[in-house]
Structures are given as structure tokens and as C-alpha cells.
Amino acid sequence: MAKRAKFTDYLIEKKLLGKEDLDKALTTHQKRGGSLVETLLKLGYIKEPQMIDALCGYLSIPPVRILNLNIPKEVLALLPERVAREYNVVPIGKIGNTLTLAMGDPLNVLATDDLKKLTHCEINPVIAPLSEIKEAIVTNYLKAPTESIDEIIKDQKVDNLTIIRETSKETSEDDIVRSIEEAPVIKFTNSFLKKAVEEKTSDILIEPLENASRLRLRIDGILRELETFPKKMHPFIVSRVKVMCNLNIAEHRLPQEGRFRGKILNKNVDFRVSILPSSLGEKVAIRVLDKSTALLNLDLLGLEEDVLKQLKEDSFKSHGLILACGPTGAGKTTTLYSVINHIYTPEKNIVTVEDPIEYQLRGINQVSIDPSIGLTFASTLRSILRQDPDIIMIGEIRDSITADMAIKSSLTGHLVLSTLHTTTSPGSVTRLINMEVEPFLLSSTLIGVITQRLVRVLCPKCKEPMDMSSAVRKKYLIREKIDIFKAKGCSFCQNTGYKGRISLCEYLRVDPKMKRLINSNVSESVLKKEARVLGMRTLREDGIIKVEKGVTTLEEVLKTTNADEPINKG
């Protein structure tokens, strides 16, 4: 207590805290208990960086950055996750009988004494930001259990779980947290996260049904049901995910969004979470962002050699606009990241503005927009232009203001990369003109437009040749005497016949003739026809090439692409 009193005097002396604010904080702290440092931060009387500097100055020790530490399992085992969360501490090392704890409030003597009794170790407290401690708890305690999901569900004894009702005013937030940190809930959550990473899943859906709840994984673009589990477990699983994201577990009426990072199968994986209230309960969608599976390499995206060569050449131009088009989940952002990866050098100043940032790129300045505070694509772009950028990536052109800023940025000597929601490459020209971009400005800035779709790749272990009639070959312009393959199914591909996905693409390269057509404001159909005469290969034509190469099936291509109008190149 004496140390704490001296520290508050130190804060006042350094003019980091006023006497009135301190009195209010002490009153609140007496009611709630716990850490005074955390109380001051929650009340907003002092910012976290200032608090860390003050603690370091007062105790004369440097802070510890804990997010990238590789903490041994035996050290983590000394402190259960529930206790780590309760006291906001992370064990980071042990020498002899001394346990080093990263703490947001190393002056909390009561917590130190409790942890000393619990671990039977001498405690060596070190300073770390509370925000990092909370993230480190999620990252380091998210370990994969050995049991299968089936075994965990059988082990649940869910009838003995007490359901926390939304309307109960007597249940506190702390009660909910304690309930959802019971071993079965943690094991079940960790199990499906591990399964998702193992299966290279892009999305996890946790959906309440009438009498049960359903867990589905999107693998290679197809949703597959992994499990149905008792409805009684649903509130606990949702609340567990909320805690991992530091979301409000008491809010059940409004949508919420968050993210967390976990260490699974010795890989750091980011999870982006969206929670949506529905009539049957809260639905959870989790986007899995596994950096180890992200290609981020132009040579590995499946582009044909001529398109790859053109895109690489265009990406090194000093200024202009390159667009990636297609529906949500078509791989547009991955392509732009791959372009940035290809052209990045330390001599270039590259800035991105995204919603949200999907992958952290080393050496790149990335900004995440937040419309709730006025941080939009357009407003961020204005600031970025004052940062002396060479290359700018815009997550998406959504409106006329962002389109205007993108065009002006490319006109003033910057290479601009962005995505746009259109179905064809020529359609992007029409879309931008509809956004009030002048045709003469567009024709003078647009370098190229790549439009993508993803199709499933045939499993290399079980694909088998199939007979295809001459009539079908003729209809879809598939050459004779070329082996065509079909999906079969084996244990390697989970009996689906497919393993992984690859891009189909069409690349509209804007040459002088295309510039004249854009400037003339011709229709999309005319633009597409002329582009094909000049050599642009459509999505359907690119898909047929991959069918002939045995990469995918005709069914996949027909399902993903539209038929083309016949053209006369003569």
C-alpha cells in the first residue's frame, strides 16, 4: 500500500494525473478492488503508453515486449489460463524457484502474494502493457487438445452446465467469464480452431438452429458441416469467442466485430470475427487468416505465362492505376498483396489503406480504416498523399469520392492498386464511369484490370481420366486427343476429389486502342469484344485451358464462369 501511495504521488508530481481524478479513481477502486493501474486505464485518466513510462520511471526497470516471446509450455503450465486472466499476468520464464511474471501492475502486492502461494515460487514481476498481456494470454494458452471433437462432445456432460440467461440481472460479467472458461468449452473451441487450420479453412460458421447448433467450415470455397452440438453449449461457445476478441460478452442485441491471434500447430494464425444476432441466437463467422498458407507470390497464383508476364511488366510502371476485380472471396486482395510483394524494395515507400488489414506485410505501411471515427478510404487517402508515397494500395473503391482520389493519385505520379466489385474486366471501366470518373481521365490513368474467380483443383492423388464426346469438346472448344480428368475422391482429399483452389483470370491491358475506346465511352459489350480481338482471354477461355491441363474439371469452370459471345478475329 505504501508503494502504491508513493506511485500515485509520483503520477501527480509528473503531472500525469490530477488530484481530483485520483480521488475519483481511488473511490472506484475501493468498490471494485483489483488493480489500481487497470482502474486508472479503464476510467481513461491516463493512457497506456504514459502508464508504462511512469511505471518504468518509478521502478527504474525497462518494459518487456511479450507478444513475440516463445514461452515454454512448462512455464505456462505453472499458471492456469483462468488465473492468468483474473490477474492479467503472463508467466514468461523460470530460473530455479523464481518465476518471472509480465504484469500490467507490478505494484499490486496482493496479486503477487496470491500468485506466490499458488505457484509455490518466488515472483519476479516485470512491466508489460495490459493490452499485450491480454493478447498474449489468448495466443499462448490457445493450444490444441489431443482429443477429437467427437470425444470432447461425449465428455461434455452438458446437462450439468448452468445456462446463463440473457435476461438475468443477477449474473455478473465475471460469472459468465468463469463459466465459459471451464475445460470442456475451451477444449471444444480450441478443437474446431485446430481442425480449421489443419483443413486450410477460409471461414468457420457457428450457427444456432432450432434444437441444436451447427458448426460449418468453408474448405476450398465449399461449406461443409463439421459437427452439430447441443444448443445448451451455444451461448458458452459464443461467449468464449467474444472473450478471446476482448468483446462485450454481455451484449447480445447488436452485431460485434473483433479479431484475435492464436498459436496453432506451431503457427501464428489470425482470426477475424463477426457476431450477428439472429432470431435463434447469435451467429458467429470467423475468417481464418493463416499466413503460412497465403501464397503472396505472383508465380504461385496459377496465372498463365502471358498474363503473368504482362502483369509483372505493368506493376513496375511509375504511375497509373491497376485494378483487381471480382466478387467477395475471389482472391483479389491476395493478388494485390502478391503484386506489392513482387515490386517491393526498401527504396520504395508503399502505403496501403484497408478494411480490415488481412495480412501484415513486412516493410509496408498499412492503415486500417474506421468509419465510426471518420477514418474512411477517402480521408485516409488525403493524408497518405502527404506521406510521400511511391505506391498506394486501396482496399476497395466503393464510392465516387474514393474513385476520384484514386484517379487523382495516379495522375500525380503514384502507382495505385485497388479492388473493385465487377464481374468482368471491361465492366470495371463502365463501373468507374458510373462513379462519375471522366472517361478522358480514366483512359489516361488505367494500366490494366485483372478479373478473377477461384475454382477447385483436382486432387493429384485420385483424379482419373474421363471420356468426353466430340460434341461436348466442340461446344466448349476443348481440343481433341487431350486427356480430360474428373474428380474421384480419396482419404487425402476427404473424398471430395479436390484439393486446394486456383485462379481463373482475364487481364484487360490498356493499350493505345483501348484508351481511345475508353475515351469514347463505348458500352461494356463493345469494350469486351474489342479487348478479345486484341488478345484478352476471358474467364471461360482461361478455365478451358486449365481443364485441358488437367488442373480442374469442366464442371467447376462452367459453374464459375459465363459463356462468351462468339467473335470474329479476322
Side-chain angles (χ1 to χ4, degrees):
M1 295 299 290
K3 279 186 182 180
R4 183 178 285 173
K6 287 180 182 178
F7 178 61
T8 55
D9 292 340
Y10 179 83
L11 291 176
I12 292 172
E13 181 189 331
K14 294 292 182 182
K15 297 182 179 178
L16 295 171
L17 192 65
K19 185 72 171 66
E20 287 185 10
D21 288 342
L22 175 60
D23 290 340
K24 290 177 184 175
L26 289 172
T27 302
T28 304
H29 179 251
Q30 285 172 359
K31 291 178 182 176
R32 295 181 182 176
S35 163
L36 177 62
V37 168
E38 194 166 356
T39 300
L40 289 168
L41 291 174
K42 279 185 176 178
L43 292 173
Y45 292 153
I46 185 168
K47 301 294 183 187
E48 189 173 63
Q50 295 173 312
M51 180 63 80
I52 294 298
D53 290 342
L55 284 167
C56 292
Y58 178 69
L59 296 171
S60 300
I61 56 175
V64 176
R65 313 303 297 198
I66 61 173
L67 289 184
N68 294 319
L69 287 181
N70 190 11
I71 304 172
K73 290 180 181 178
E74 58 271 18
V75 173
L76 288 169
L78 294 171
L79 209 64
E81 181 184 4
R82 180 181 58 79
V83 177
R85 283 189 185 279
E86 185 177 344
Y87 290 101
N88 275 321
V89 297
V90 175
I92 59 174
K94 184 174 183 285
I95 299 176
N97 195 42
T98 301
L99 179 65
T100 300
L101 285 180
M103 305 180 71
D105 183 4
L107 298 173
N108 190 344
V109 180
L110 295 176
T112 306
D113 288 344
D114 288 348
L115 294 168
K116 182 178 178 180
K117 292 174 186 174
L118 181 69
T119 59
H120 306 291
C121 294
E122 294 297 321
I123 301 298
N124 173 36
V126 295
I127 303 167
L130 273 168
S131 57
E132 289 192 10
I133 287 173
K134 289 178 179 179
E135 185 175 343
I137 289 171
V138 173
T139 301
N140 288 285
Y141 282 96
L142 182 59
K143 302 297 180 185
T146 54
E147 299 101 320
S148 69
I149 290 178
D150 288 337
E151 289 169 339
I152 291 168
I153 289 177
K154 286 174 186 174
D155 249 5
Q156 294 287 334
K157 296 180 181 176
V158 292
D159 290 335
N160 297 329
L161 291 176
T162 303
I163 301 301
I164 297 163
R165 304 195 179 279
E166 296 177 20
T167 56
S168 172
K169 295 180 181 178
E170 298 174 359
T171 305
S172 70
E173 193 171 309
D174 291 337
D175 292 333
I176 298 174
V177 173
R178 279 194 292 272
S179 297
I180 63 176
E181 288 185 350
E182 294 299 324
V185 175
I186 293 176
K187 284 182 179 181
F188 182 65
T189 308
N190 291 357
S191 288
F192 70 69
L193 292 177
K194 173 180 177 281
K195 183 73 172 176
V197 174
E198 282 179 337
E199 296 293 333
K200 296 181 173 58
T201 300
S202 61
D203 298 273
I204 306 167
L205 298 182
I206 307 168
E207 302 163 305
L209 305 176
E210 232 174 292
N211 300 311
S213 286
R214 177 173 63 182
L215 183 64
R216 293 195 289 172
L217 306 182
R218 189 178 292 278
I219 303 170
D220 295 337
I222 305 297
L223 274 173
R224 299 180 196 165
E225 187 172 297
L226 180 65
E227 290 291 343
T228 56
F229 56 91
K231 188 77 176 277
K232 291 182 180 183
M233 282 180 61
H234 188 84
F236 297 99
I237 301 300
V238 174
S239 295
R240 169 66 182 161
V241 173
K242 285 182 181 179
V243 167
M244 294 163 81
C245 299
N246 287 322
L247 297 177
N248 183 0
I249 59 175
E251 178 57 71
H252 305 285
R253 300 165 300 169
L254 296 173
Q256 295 190 71
E257 291 187 0
R259 63 190 305 155
F260 65 93
R261 179 179 296 168
K263 195 165 190 176
I264 299 178
L265 303 176
N266 294 318
K267 299 185 289 187
N268 283 329
V269 183
D270 287 333
F271 298 89
R272 200 171 76 220
V273 176
S274 172
I275 298 175
L276 182 70
S278 73
S279 59
L280 297 174
E282 291 178 290
K283 177 185 175 184
V284 181
I286 305 175
R287 172 64 57 90
V288 183
L289 303 171
D290 184 355
K291 296 178 185 179
S292 66
T293 62
L295 299 174
L296 304 188
N297 185 330
L298 282 175
D299 295 317
L300 301 177
L301 295 182
L303 307 180
E304 296 301 321
E305 285 186 15
D306 55 341
V307 171
L308 182 62
K309 182 182 177 184
Q310 290 174 356
L311 186 57
K312 283 183 174 180
E313 287 174 0
D314 291 344
S315 66
F316 279 106
K317 292 185 177 177
S318 59
H319 60 89
L321 177 64
I322 296 176
L323 294 174
C325 300
T328 302
K332 303 184 296 295
T333 305
T334 299
T335 297
L336 292 188
Y337 278 155
S338 300
V339 170
I340 288 175
N341 225 17
H342 178 66
I343 61 181
Y344 170 74
T345 64
E347 291 79 26
K348 290 179 179 175
N349 180 13
I350 303 177
V351 186
T352 76
V353 48
E354 305 171 60
D355 180 27
I357 296 169
E358 292 197 9
Y359 296 104
Q360 294 285 347
L361 300 176
R362 190 173 180 180
I364 310 298
N365 306 287
Q366 295 173 269
V367 181
S368 181
I369 73 162
D370 186 354
S372 65
I373 60 171
L375 193 66
T376 62
F377 281 117
S379 63
T380 308
L381 271 173
R382 291 189 191 96
S383 299
I384 284 175
L385 290 173
R386 301 187 193 102
Q387 294 285 320
D388 187 35
D390 298 303
I391 298 162
I392 301 169
M393 180 186 128
I394 305 168
E396 184 185 343
I397 295 177
R398 296 177 178 173
D399 51 47
S400 57
I401 300 173
T402 310
D404 182 60
M405 291 295 296
I407 294 293
K408 286 178 178 175
S409 300
S410 58
L411 278 171
T412 52
H414 305 93
L415 179 65
V416 178
L417 311 172
S418 187
T419 69
L420 193 66
H421 282 285
T422 59
T423 54
T424 66
S425 294
S428 64
V429 174
T430 309
R431 176 88 174 104
L432 286 172
I433 291 173
N434 287 340
M435 286 184 178
E436 300 177 2
V437 175
E438 293 290 348
F440 72 92
L441 290 176
L442 188 56
S443 65
S444 58
T445 56
L446 192 60
I447 296 172
V449 184
I450 184 167
T451 297
Q452 294 179 225
R453 298 290 187 279
L454 293 178
V455 293
R456 292 184 292 171
V457 175
L458 279 165
C459 174
K461 294 187 180 294
C462 67
K463 68 177 183 180
E464 57 184 21
M466 64 173 289
D467 293 328
M468 182 174 284
S469 67
S470 296
V472 173
R473 288 178 183 266
K474 185 177 179 181
K475 180 178 179 180
Y476 296 110
L477 304 179
I478 299 172
R479 290 175 293 170
E480 297 286 347
K481 298 181 181 178
I482 295 282
D483 285 337
I484 305 300
F485 292 85
K486 65 179 180 180
K488 182 183 178 183
C490 64
S491 58
F492 180 69
C493 62
Q494 306 285 322
N495 291 314
T496 62
Y498 298 93
K499 193 74 174 176
R501 289 190 292 175
I502 198 169
S503 291
L504 305 184
C505 78
E506 61 180 31
Y507 188 57
L508 172 65
R509 203 176 194 190
V510 182
D511 60 9
K513 186 168 183 181
M514 290 306 302
K515 287 179 185 289
R516 288 195 295 272
L517 289 170
I518 294 170
N519 207 17
S520 302
N521 197 9
V522 299
S523 67
E524 180 183 343
S525 58
V526 172
L527 205 60
K528 181 176 180 179
K529 181 179 178 182
E530 291 300 323
R532 293 179 67 196
V533 170
L534 292 171
M536 184 189 82
R537 191 165 48 245
T538 65
L539 291 166
R540 173 65 62 88
E541 290 168 339
D542 193 57
I544 295 302
I545 288 174
K546 288 178 171 58
V547 170
E548 291 181 337
K549 287 183 174 181
V551 174
T552 190
T553 61
L554 182 60
E555 289 80 9
E556 279 290 300
V557 173
L558 297 181
K559 182 175 67 176
T560 313
T561 63
N562 291 328
D564 300 314
E565 295 291 328
I567 61 166
N568 181 9
K569 293 188 179 183

